[in-house]
Amino acid sequence: MAAQQKAKKTNVFKRLGAFFVKSWSELKKVSWPSFKTVLKNTGIVLLVVLFFALIILGADSLFGWLVSLISNKG
């Protein structure tokens, strides 16, 4: 059984070459966004990340301050 499967497999380089040919043909079908769209979407992502980073920083500072208040009273 294993010998039959081994005999059916083609050369690894042929399979690799077929993979790259198929990948290249699929990449030709992709609808790539324009540079302006990429810049706009990148800006939006950076603003959202900055917004949430500020929220997390504020919450961390608040909780740190509260813990220091509690630990100093004890």
Side-chain angles (χ1 to χ4, degrees), residues 57-73:
L57 176 69
D60 182 50
S61 298
L62 176 67
F63 290 136
W65 178 72
L66 288 173
V67 166
S68 69
L69 281 180
I70 292 169
S71 64
N72 285 341
K73 287 186 176 184

Side-chain angles (χ1 to χ4, degrees), residues 39-62:
L39 283 180
K40 184 179 91 170
N41 290 343
T42 302
I44 290 170
V45 168
L46 290 175
L47 285 175
V48 169
V49 167
L50 180 65
F51 174 73
F52 281 107
L54 290 174
I55 288 176
I56 292 171
L57 176 69
D60 182 50
S61 298
L62 176 67

Side-chain angles (χ1 to χ4, degrees), residues 2-73:
Q4 288 176 349
Q5 286 181 346
K6 208 174 216 185
K8 289 182 181 180
K9 282 189 175 181
T10 58
N11 188 354
V12 68
F13 296 110
K14 287 183 182 179
R15 287 185 287 159
L16 191 60
F19 171 76
F20 283 120
V21 167
K22 289 177 185 176
S23 297
W24 187 256
S25 67
E26 288 295 322
L27 283 174
K28 287 181 183 177
K29 297 176 188 178
V30 173
S31 171
W32 297 100
S34 67
F35 186 70
K36 183 179 177 183
T37 305
V38 171
L39 283 180
K40 184 179 91 170
N41 290 343
T42 302
I44 290 170
V45 168
L46 290 175
L47 285 175
V48 169
V49 167
L50 180 65
F51 174 73
F52 281 107
L54 290 174
I55 288 176
I56 292 171
L57 176 69
D60 182 50
S61 298
L62 176 67
F63 290 136
W65 178 72
L66 288 173
V67 166
S68 69
L69 281 180
I70 292 169
S71 64
N72 285 341
K73 287 186 176 184

